[in-house]
Amino acid sequence: MLVSQRQIRKQQKGLTLVEVLVALAIIAITMVMFGYFSSSLQATGNSRRETAAANFARSYLDALRSQWQDLTMYRDGGRESGNARSNPPFLEVPDGFTFYTVDIERRNVTGVVVGTPTQFNSTAGEAAFNWQDENDTDFMRLVTLTLTDAQGETYTYSTQVVRPTTDQTP
């Protein structure tokens, strides 16, 4: 029996169920792959920021510990000897970050806070640190560095620096 062209066209007006299911499967696989790649890119960006923050904190806290190995720098910031270095040190804010703050608490031998805590803000560029030791009771300093990125997320690092003795002075 001969089928006319008109009858064939009438039978094929839409898509078959198999064709629709194959198209949906392709779309679903594509969406899953885009989701995977976007989450990978986001994780890579987060890791990059965390690594940059950790490297900056390590550099800053090492520079601070290096300066405070000298008893004169630890006690009065080197002001008596006419030292022109910023104490605590000032380092440029790394790319992708807006500013950092350094909080310094002075503590005595038993760990009790002595004097008032000091905050150094990188946007101000100058620390309002009280370099006068009260009867040489400043035994240790707790230093907390907080770095803020462009998205407002903060990264916090801390260290303790013990007062050097005269025989450790370079």
Side-chain angles (χ1 to χ4, degrees):
M1 175 168 165
L2 289 174
V3 181
S4 71
Q5 289 287 348
R6 187 179 254 184
Q7 287 178 336
I8 292 175
R9 285 191 191 127
K10 278 188 178 181
Q11 291 174 356
Q12 292 185 353
K13 280 190 175 179
L15 299 173
T16 65
L17 180 60
V18 172
E19 292 171 329
V20 170
L21 290 176
V22 168
L24 286 175
I26 290 172
I27 291 171
I29 290 171
T30 304
M31 297 292 281
V32 167
M33 290 182 67
F34 278 131
Y36 172 74
F37 287 128
S38 69
S39 66
S40 294
L41 287 174
Q42 186 177 17
T44 300
N46 290 342
S47 295
R48 185 177 298 127
R49 278 192 306 279
E50 289 173 8
T51 301
N55 286 339
F56 176 78
R58 186 177 303 115
S59 296
Y60 186 89
L61 296 174
D62 284 347
L64 183 69
R65 282 191 292 269
S66 174
Q67 277 189 355
W68 286 354
Q69 283 182 353
D70 181 358
L71 186 59
T72 303
M73 290 294 283
Y74 184 90
R75 281 182 137 167
D76 65 4
R79 297 188 199 292
E80 287 179 9
S81 62
N83 190 334
R85 287 189 297 175
S86 175
N87 192 355
F90 175 77
L91 298 179
E92 291 295 324
V93 180
D95 291 339
F97 294 89
T98 53
F99 67 95
Y100 64 91
T101 58
V102 180
D103 295 309
I104 303 170
E105 282 185 358
R106 301 177 329 149
R107 298 183 178 220
N108 65 13
V109 177
T110 60
V112 176
V113 176
V114 212
T116 57
T118 301
Q119 187 175 70
F120 170 82
N121 191 325
S122 65
T123 55
E126 185 70 32
F129 193 73
N130 179 11
W131 291 106
Q132 300 300 319
D133 283 339
E134 299 164 4
N135 300 321
D136 287 333
T137 58
D138 181 359
F139 174 73
M140 179 192 71
R141 293 181 182 160
L142 174 64
V143 181
T144 305
L145 173 73
T146 304
L147 192 60
T148 305
D149 68 9
Q151 288 80 22
E153 190 164 340
T154 59
Y155 303 87
T156 304
Y157 304 90
S158 63
T159 190
Q160 297 175 351
V161 181
V162 177
R163 170 200 294 269
T165 59
T166 53
D167 55 300
Q168 289 177 325
T169 306

